[in-house]
Amino acid sequence: LIPVAATPTRLTSLYLRLLSTRLPTPPLTSSSTILVTARCPAPPCSMSFEAAYAIIDDAFGYARMYGYKSSAYVPDCLRELYENKGSTHWDQFYKVNTTHFFKDRHWIEREFPELFPPGPLVSPLQVLEVGCGVGNTLFPVVAKSPNLYFYSFDYSKVAVDLVLSNPAYNPARMTAFVHDISTQQSFPDFIPVGRLDLCVMIFVLSAVPPHRMRHVVQQLRMALRPGGTVLFRDYARDDRAQQRFTDTTTMMMDISLPSDDAPSHSSSSSSLSPSTQNNEHASAIHSKTIAENYHVRKDGTAAFFFDTAYVQELFEAEGFEVLQNIVVKKDVINRKENKHMNR
C-alpha cells in the first residue's frame, strides 16, 4: 500500500501489501495505517500497468492493485512460460517438498494387476515409467513384484536425484534418468526401444501441454513391443481439484483481515476491504486457466483434466487399441475438518 493524494492519481510505480506473517495490529482509525510494502513486479509481456492490473482507491485513500484484470485465460506470454519452463517449476516444487508431498501408491496393486505377474518368469518384464517423480510408484511396485525391471524417468532433475539417493534404489532392478518425453524425439540408447512390455503413466500426462500430448503417445507407441500395454491414470474433468481452479470468487491479493481479527474503528468502512460498490475493477482476478480444462497452480506447475472421449481419441489416433477407459469416482472424507470431497 502507498498513500495517495486527496485527489487520487494513477501511479506508474505500484506497491502491494504482503501478509506473509501475522503481526500484532493496533486498532485502526481513519488516520492510522500499517504499511508493509514490496515493489510491484513489471506487468507481463509489453502491457502497461493500467492494462495489466486493476487499480482502485479505497476508503482510506490508498491505491490497491488486485492482480491481472479479469480474463478467461492467462496472457499468451505467461502461457508460453508455463509450457516451456515446466521442468523448472517442478524442480522448484521438489526442492521445497522433497519426498514429503506425494504418498506411495500402494493402491496400484489393486488397479493395475499387470504390474504383478504371478510366478517366476524366464526374464523380467521391462517397464517404462513416464514421470517417476520421487519414486512413489517405482519403489512400492518393485518391493512387491520381483518380475519387473523399470526404466523410470522424469524431466525434473531434482526429482530424479531424489530417486537415485533413495536407499531402496537398486540398479539391478531399475534405471532412473532425466528425460523430457514431451519435447525430445528419441530415447537414450540404453532403452530397448520397441521391446518394452509395459508403460506406466500415472498423473503425468496432465502436466504436459495439450498440444504436445500426441507426441508423448507417439513416443510410447515407438517404445512398446507389439502387444505392449500402457497403464494410464490421471485427473478427470470436473474433479474437485479442477473446481478449485474455477470456483474463484474472491479477488487476488485481497488483504481484508479475518473476521476474528477485524479491528473496531470509527470509520465508515468496517475493515481494510476497499469500497467496491461502484468499481467494476473490484472483481478483477488473476486467471488460473491456460486453456480449456488446462490450469496453472500458484507454484507454476500445470494440470490438464481429461474426459474419456479425449483419452480415447488421443490413443486410438496413434494406433492403440483401448481395452478399458473409465472414470473412477470416490468420496474423500477429511474427518479433521468434516469435509466431503468428490474425486
Side-chain angles (χ1 to χ4, degrees):
L1 295 174
I2 60 174
V4 295
T7 302
T9 59
R10 294 307 179 199
L11 306 172
T12 57
S13 179
L14 299 177
Y15 290 77
L16 63 109
R17 174 169 176 172
L18 305 177
L19 294 179
S20 58
T21 58
R22 181 167 294 182
L23 302 175
T25 54
L28 295 178
T29 67
S30 58
S31 60
S32 66
T33 60
I34 297 175
L35 298 180
V36 182
T37 65
R39 185 169 297 277
C40 172
C45 310
S46 59
M47 290 189 289
S48 66
F49 276 99
E50 285 289 340
Y53 298 105
I55 308 167
I56 67 171
D57 304 309
D58 68 8
F60 293 105
Y62 288 87
R64 295 176 184 250
M65 181 182 69
Y66 283 91
Y68 304 122
K69 287 187 177 180
S70 295
S71 174
Y73 303 112
V74 301
D76 287 344
C77 59
L78 290 182
R79 174 183 56 78
E80 293 173 2
L81 177 66
Y82 294 135
E83 292 180 350
N84 297 328
K85 297 292 184 180
S87 60
T88 302
H89 295 133
W90 281 107
D91 275 342
Q92 184 60 35
F93 173 88
Y94 286 116
K95 285 179 182 177
V96 172
N97 296 287
T98 64
T99 60
H100 305 301
F101 191 85
F102 298 113
K103 297 179 180 179
D104 283 350
R105 293 162 177 159
H106 296 290
W107 50 263
I108 201 168
E109 185 174 5
R110 178 185 68 251
E111 299 292 342
F112 296 125
E114 294 88 346
L115 289 169
F116 302 87
L121 303 179
V122 175
S123 60
L125 297 180
Q126 299 188 89
V127 182
L128 182 71
E129 183 185 13
V130 180
C132 62
V134 295
N136 298 108
T137 295
L138 171 65
F139 294 124
V141 171
V142 169
K144 286 189 174 183
S145 185
N147 297 310
L148 304 177
Y149 187 94
F150 267 78
Y151 296 94
S152 300
F153 67 85
D154 201 289
Y155 69 177
S156 168
K157 184 179 184 302
V158 176
V160 173
D161 286 345
L162 289 168
V163 171
L164 294 172
S165 63
N166 192 306
Y169 184 80
N170 180 2
R173 301 287 313 280
M174 60 195 70
T175 298
F177 58 101
V178 178
H179 181 71
D180 185 355
I181 193 174
S182 69
T183 60
Q184 293 177 266
Q185 300 298 318
S186 61
F187 290 98
D189 292 339
F190 57 81
I191 301 296
V193 174
R195 293 182 284 135
L196 294 165
D197 299 288
L198 297 169
C199 171
V200 179
M201 189 164 55
I202 299 177
F203 293 104
V204 172
L205 195 60
S206 54
V208 175
H211 69 274
R212 296 179 187 166
M213 290 181 183
R214 182 148 293 176
H215 174 73
V216 172
V217 178
Q218 290 171 352
Q219 293 290 295
L220 301 184
R221 176 68 188 277
M222 178 178 65
L224 288 168
R225 64 170 175 79
T229 303
V230 175
L231 307 176
F232 168 86
R233 185 168 185 171
D234 220 315
Y235 294 111
R237 196 166 298 178
D238 298 325
D239 177 61
R240 176 57 186 160
Q242 184 177 24
Q243 293 173 10
R244 286 196 290 266
F245 287 113
T246 58
D247 286 352
T248 304
T249 57
T250 59
M251 293 174 285
M252 293 293 292
M253 303 176 193
D254 186 354
I255 63 169
S256 302
L257 294 176
S259 58
D260 57 344
D261 291 338
S264 58
H265 50 79
S266 58
S267 170
S268 59
S269 176
S270 60
S271 74
L272 287 177
S273 296
S275 174
T276 60
Q277 295 179 353
N278 299 316
N279 198 312
E280 64 180 354
H281 293 318
S283 62
I285 62 173
H286 179 184
S287 174
K288 294 178 285 186
T289 300
I290 302 175
E292 186 178 4
N293 298 307
Y294 185 41
H295 310 278
V296 62
R297 304 180 183 93
K298 291 181 180 179
D299 60 6
T301 61
F304 184 85
F305 292 80
F306 298 88
D307 62 19
T308 54
Y310 188 100
V311 175
Q312 187 94 12
E313 191 278 331
L314 180 64
F315 280 88
E316 287 185 341
E318 300 307 322
F320 281 92
E321 177 188 357
V322 178
L323 302 178
Q324 184 184 49
N325 184 12
I326 61 174
V327 174
V328 178
K329 296 182 179 181
K330 62 179 180 179
D331 187 31
V332 178
I333 302 174
N334 184 329
R335 291 183 174 83
K336 183 177 181 180
E337 299 182 9
N338 195 27
K339 291 183 179 179
H340 290 250
M341 297 170 285
N342 295 321
R343 301 304 305 270

